[in-house]
Amino acid sequence: MNDLNNEEVKRILNNPDVPEKLSPESVKKELDMMKANGNKKINFTNGLKWCAGIAACTVLLGTGGIIAKQMQNNSSSSMISGGSYTVSASDYKQVYRYMKNYMDKLEEQKDFVYEDGGEIFYEEAAEEMENDSVTAETTGSDSLPDSDNNEISELYNQETGVLEGDIIRTDGNRIYSALNSESFNIQVTETDGKVFTGNKTLNLYEYLPDSVKYCCISAMYLENGRLIVAADTSESYSWENVSQRTYVLIFDTESDIQLLGSYAQDGNYSDIRLMEDGALYIISSYNWTACYTDENYEKCIPSYYTNKKESMAAPEDILLPGTGAKKGTECDFGSGFTNIGSLNVFSDTPWESLDFKSLAGFSGSMYCSLNNIYLASNCWTENGNSTDFTRIKIDNGIITPEASTNVPGYVKDQFSMSEYKGYFRAAVSRDRQMGYYGIPNDNAVYIFDMNMNKVSEIAGFGENETIKSASFSGDMAYVVTYRQTDPLYAIDLSDVNNPVILDEYKITGYSSYMQQWNDDLLLGFGINADEDGIRNGLKLVMFDNSDPDNLSECGIMPIDYTDVSKFSDEAVYGWIDSPAVNDRKALLISPEKNLIAVPFSCYAENYIYDETDCYGYSVYSYENGIFRNKGVIYSKSDVSRAIYIGDTMFIAGKTELIAIDIPTMNENDHIYF
């Protein structure tokens, strides 16, 4: 791709300029502080599951913040102003030098370890992964069944016009589900809206290069007669020297299911968003150290692939860390790049790349408005936890990093961020090394302008508690913090220079997710607990926020194992959990149908038999301050999605799909995969 002189490259690589913060003394100091905070072991082996998409070096060296303000002339290596002081690479030499500097420092860090109680604090690990590929049998027809089912459930999107992907979709005629833990298969189940009329299996390995050895479906869309599938892939079962790519496959679904084309980019799947005009934005985290050696560094430049044709990122599209960030607040950019690619999946050539940018550092949570993507990269610094927020302008597939800032604290998820009337708002928990500096932990809401300059903040609430959920609605922010009780804060952001807490309402337990039920009611789902903060089940709660100065609870539904478990003579039940505590997409919330479906897993304390554990969905309605249990649907295995077509609800699990008549809660049909 370029004509670098080999001798010049060797000279650059052998004589790097080493940033002071990557010196062994600085790294050792940070690890000392992490140890004081209770991190007695960093274990890369445990938890290296493929679908998690987390690179090992991220844990060791933190995540990196990224951009600031992109200059009009990207072809030169210019300083970019902002919180992270990042520069656009002038040529590949600069990228190679950055990689060489980092790898040299990483090698030096292997010279010291910490031991505590026989455990090694720093560990090198590469876990072998097994491939359990199977091909399911195909039944049913290839033709599209006739159906008048126009009323279908849609995934709740944080922002209108910004569509989020999921692992189950329906058009009213077919249900596409990819819930199996293997998840290289998509079950395509035909229905007349009440019962099942056929099923076939779409095996992604048939559409991927032969070199792909591992595949995990991460998200799907079903829009404009097209099925768009995003998947994590690897060309090796080993963590070492793997080729990790995020693939996007676009299928036509108007009659039979036909592949139109494919796109891929380096790195593990991180997130995805689809605009109503067809612009699709794909974010992946690329751990280039997995392929790096002093001999093959050119292969580590981030690339993207259109119908298997490779293109390396241009130097000006690679943004690297500069110098000048405020001491004690900057994040280490670590061992990765955040890659952002775009396509128009509604076009005649939906696999063609529109734009591609690669930003030094791993991304964390992502929030997307109609005009901007915001990346939040959390890390530890000498002053406590810290987040780099980066604003990236998006316009018809064109990706333009524009501004960044760094602030104390970390965000829980995408719902802790919001853009409104030209301002970006973020709710954060500020952890100062568990009070290491004598300053109590607390929470804050920051307000920034579009240049990511902080306009104002309101802080100090929920002292020694952390944010469990947040919901922004216009000029209001609703934030739940938790330690023993669940304070819900109503924060008025209408005066961006002077945000004000209007009210604080406390109940036991906490809400891990909140969603506006209607103009006056806010629905919360999460963990139930007693007065001492001891967890004792799940709960639904409805808050009246019609008057933010006077919040109140207007209905609560504890969900205990006694409400849903199947008892037997051998089993002693005592524990209930839900995938929706950590994955809000597992909830089915439909104010229009007055329907709330909560997945659960109920376990026997004595673990006599596996069959004594029970799984399913508990279904509720809400009216006049009262939650009513409409019924419980049991499954033979974990279930994590529920959708509806007309008056039929479909419960989806790893190995089955259940059709339930909503008015009667009776089972219409059942299919096993």
Side-chain angles (χ1 to χ4, degrees), residues 367-380:
Y367 159 73
C368 186
S369 68
L370 284 171
N371 302 309
N372 295 287
I373 290 173
Y374 295 86
L375 298 180
S377 299
N378 303 327
C379 70
W380 283 97

Side-chain angles (χ1 to χ4, degrees), residues 16 105 210 271 320 334 398 410 412 481 526 555 585 607:
K105 293 295 101 182
D210 292 339
D271 218 325
L320 302 175
I398 304 304
Y410 64 91
K412 177 182 180 288
T481 64
K585 294 178 183 178
Y607 298 102

Side-chain angles (χ1 to χ4, degrees), residues 546-560:
S546 58
D547 179 7
D549 287 299
N550 187 26
L551 296 172
S552 62
E553 175 259 302
C554 55
I556 188 167
M557 171 61 74
I559 306 173
D560 187 72

Side-chain angles (χ1 to χ4, degrees), residues 17 22 50 158 160 170 209 214 217 222 243 297 301 321 323 353 382 408 433 443 590 596 598 607 623 636 653 655:
D17 298 322
L22 288 181
W50 181 257
Q158 185 179 7
T160 301
T170 185
Y214 199 100
I217 297 169
L222 191 60
S243 178
Y297 44 81
I301 296 295
T323 59
S353 170
E382 63 184 61
Q433 307 270 10
N443 305 278
S590 174
I596 306 164
V598 178
Y607 298 102
E623 191 172 2
K636 291 186 178 296
T655 60

